[in-house]
Amino acid sequence: MGDNGRTRARPEQHSGSGATGTRRRGRALEDAILDAAWEVLVDHGYTGFTFEAVATRAGTSRPVLYRRWPQREDLLLATLAKNWQPVEIPDTGRLRDDAITFLRRLNADRARNVVVMCIQLADYFRDTGTSFCDLRDSLRPSGSSAPLQVIVCRAVERGELPDVPRTDRILNLAFDLVRHDLLMTMDALPDESIVEIVDEVWLPLLKAAG
Amino acid sequence: MGDNGRTRARPEQHSGSGATGTRRRGRALEDAILDAAWEVLVDHGYTGFTFEAVATRAGTSRPVLYRRWPQREDLLLATLAKNWQPVEIPDTGRLRDDAITFLRRLNADRARNVVVMCIQLADYFRDTGTSFCDLRDSLRPSGSSAPLQVIVCRAVERGELPDVPRTDRILNLAFDLVRHDLLMTMDALPDESIVEIVDEVWLPLLKAAG
DNA sequence: GACATAAGATGCAGCAGTGTATCTAAGAGC
DNA sequence: GCTCTTAGATACACTGCTGCATCTTATGTC
């Protein structure tokens, strides 16, 4: 039906950062949206993670999002996939240094991410009946083993540890404890805690497991 | 003003359970509401924890809730306070049995509660800037020590363990690991895991700490 | 039995998000 | 330059929750 009195305020300008007046397309647009989506997720959790909020933050409009990700979950998974980076595994030649360095990196990195991915996503987990465990598994590069397992393997190869079978529980204990503290306090661990976990708990168990 | 055509379908009947046709009041009503609120919280998390949902579930109406708890947070805290029970600490006379029995109880009980209180409440934590840690501390009877600490104390008194200083990290390790698994899987641990945690991790560390 | 209190029903304005449809215009490819 | 795709704006109907106001009526107390 004819003219419904719309009066185009100004062309556009996507209110983003540089705002060159140019209109974003394809990959560039998609990246900008997913970055905006990540920020929204960090700031407001899954509950505040609405098409409305993400579109506004990205300086675009909801239809643009709906065209790419019909469901909120699709947008969420795309956002996570783009922003999740595995923590680098150090190789210093000494078990204790490897462990402490790795856990420090983990602590710094996941103090942001784990809180987002586990705590903020609680509603997502409830809605879908999945758990943090499932999500982690689906984001970890398939076939790769747990970081601490790699570190222990190297120590065994160097002869730093006896070559005896160890349970996953023991191998991942230090990782689990750091994650536990992150979840409980929703904040990074003090460095002393990391050293304590390695020296008082993990290493003694690894050495005693013979 | 005047008759606005309302035609009172039927008196009421609060659609609850027994539905004796009697109208609930005071304490009975409050209990019923808080029970309903707990169910809503378990089923739908803090996000779905609306005055609307709780009132419907309780078979009452929103004004009744607003009169008692003006804010959603008030209703939440009342609901938690009513439904949080500390896990009973066993006293079998043997350290290992005490630990395994306690952790089994914890596992069964918190598989429902911790998931609700930590995961489902994520939005609450985000909104208020508190953490699960803070909430646990405020719900644990003040002055009482951690359950595993009590169990270890008794073992030391019986001479089952050497009387050496132990860090909180070690003392609470078994508890923390159970909690960690609960959070990660959002489900109860298999019984083997509890036994493994006690026999392969916690007891060796307690004995070696001399 | 009269009265005060409070339960419970209902209405309503407001707000935020959803999902979709429609239109204009920018920009890429030919 | 022309055309095709699609970004971006806007509108609309719908849903669900919020606070609050108002009314009726059940129930306990005197």
Side-chain angles (χ1 to χ4, degrees):
Chain A
M1 305 62 161
D3 176 3
N4 24 12
R6 289 194 236 132
T7 24
R8 226 91 194 69
R10 11 167 216 122
E12 83 274 349
Q13 198 87 344
H14 75 67
S15 83
S17 42
T20 63
T22 184
R23 181 176 281 186
R24 300 162 297 179
R25 292 204 147 219
R27 196 44 202 260
L29 176 61
E30 204 157 308
D31 283 351
I33 291 174
L34 292 181
D35 287 346
W38 178 255
E39 291 172 24
V40 170
L41 193 58
V42 170
D43 285 359
H44 304 290
Y46 188 61
T47 304
F49 186 74
T50 63
F51 281 82
E52 181 75 21
V54 173
T56 302
R57 188 97 169 210
T60 184
S61 60
R62 281 179 293 127
V64 175
L65 304 196
Y66 279 110
R67 281 169 201 142
R68 290 153 198 273
W69 306 280
Q71 306 293 328
R72 184 161 73 145
E73 185 175 346
D74 301 331
L75 177 56
L76 174 72
L77 290 178
T79 303
L80 295 182
K82 183 166 184 295
N83 285 83
W84 179 263
Q85 302 298 334
V87 175
E88 195 191 344
I89 303 176
D91 190 2
T92 65
R94 288 196 55 210
L95 173 61
R96 180 176 182 276
D97 292 342
D98 278 358
I100 288 183
T101 305
F102 173 75
L103 293 178
R104 277 182 183 147
R105 285 179 191 166
L106 183 76
N107 189 37
D109 194 67
R110 298 294 197 266
R112 292 179 291 111
N113 292 3
V114 155
V115 169
V116 167
M117 300 194 52
C118 184
I119 299 297
Q120 304 280 58
L121 296 182
D123 289 313
Y124 167 71
F125 293 140
R126 182 176 41 71
D127 290 349
T128 61
T130 59
S131 71
F132 180 62
C133 223
D134 303 321
L135 186 59
R136 179 200 55 182
D137 290 347
S138 80
L139 288 177
R140 171 136 70 202
S142 62
S144 70
S145 37
L148 290 184
Q149 214 161 344
V150 175
I151 290 178
V152 167
C153 266
R154 288 189 190 138
V156 170
E157 281 163 16
R158 285 193 304 266
E160 212 178 327
L161 280 179
D163 187 11
V164 296
R166 292 182 174 88
T167 60
D168 286 348
R169 168 77 57 193
I170 301 272
L171 285 171
N172 295 321
L173 191 64
F175 198 141
D176 291 348
L177 286 177
V178 170
R179 190 192 291 115
H180 172 268
D181 281 22
L182 283 172
L183 294 179
M184 281 295 281
T185 63
M186 304 245 284
D187 202 358
L189 283 69
D191 198 65
E192 309 86 76
S193 292
I194 291 179
V195 175
E196 180 190 17
I197 286 170
V198 171
D199 287 340
E200 312 287 327
V201 180
W202 196 56
L203 289 183
L205 283 172
L206 285 179
K207 286 169 184 162
Chain B
M1 303 84 167
D3 176 4
N4 24 12
R6 289 192 238 136
T7 24
R8 227 89 194 72
R10 14 172 212 118
E12 83 274 350
Q13 196 89 341
H14 76 67
S15 83
S17 42
T20 61
T22 182
R23 181 176 279 186
R24 299 162 298 179
R25 291 200 149 224
R27 196 45 201 262
L29 176 62
E30 205 157 308
D31 283 352
I33 291 174
L34 292 181
D35 287 346
W38 178 254
E39 291 172 23
V40 170
L41 194 59
V42 170
D43 286 359
H44 305 291
Y46 188 61
T47 304
F49 187 72
T50 64
F51 281 82
E52 180 77 22
V54 173
T56 301
R57 187 95 169 211
T60 183
S61 60
R62 281 179 290 128
V64 175
L65 305 195
Y66 279 111
R67 281 171 201 144
R68 289 153 199 273
W69 305 282
Q71 307 292 329
R72 185 161 72 143
E73 186 175 343
D74 301 330
L75 177 56
L76 175 72
L77 290 178
T79 302
L80 295 183
K82 181 166 185 297
N83 284 83
W84 179 263
Q85 301 298 334
V87 175
E88 195 191 344
I89 304 175
D91 190 1
T92 64
R94 290 196 54 210
L95 172 61
R96 180 175 183 275
D97 292 341
D98 278 356
I100 289 184
T101 304
F102 173 75
L103 293 178
R104 278 182 183 147
R105 284 178 192 167
L106 182 76
N107 189 36
D109 194 67
R110 297 296 197 265
R112 293 178 290 113
N113 293 3
V114 155
V115 168
V116 166
M117 299 196 51
C118 184
I119 298 297
Q120 305 280 60
L121 296 184
D123 288 312
Y124 168 72
F125 293 141
R126 182 176 42 71
D127 291 348
T128 61
T130 58
S131 71
F132 180 61
C133 228
D134 303 320
L135 185 58
R136 180 201 52 183
D137 290 346
S138 78
L139 288 178
R140 170 138 68 202
S142 63
S144 70
S145 37
L148 290 185
Q149 215 159 344
V150 174
I151 289 177
V152 168
C153 268
R154 289 191 190 136
V156 170
E157 282 165 15
R158 284 192 304 266
E160 213 178 327
L161 281 177
D163 186 13
V164 297
R166 294 181 174 88
T167 61
D168 287 347
R169 169 76 57 193
I170 301 271
L171 285 171
N172 296 321
L173 191 64
F175 197 141
D176 290 348
L177 287 177
V178 169
R179 190 192 290 115
H180 172 268
D181 281 22
L182 282 172
L183 293 178
M184 282 294 280
T185 62
M186 304 246 282
D187 202 357
L189 283 70
D191 197 65
E192 307 87 76
S193 292
I194 291 179
V195 175
E196 180 189 16
I197 287 171
V198 171
D199 287 339
E200 311 287 326
V201 179
W202 196 56
L203 289 183
L205 283 171
L206 285 179
K207 286 169 185 162

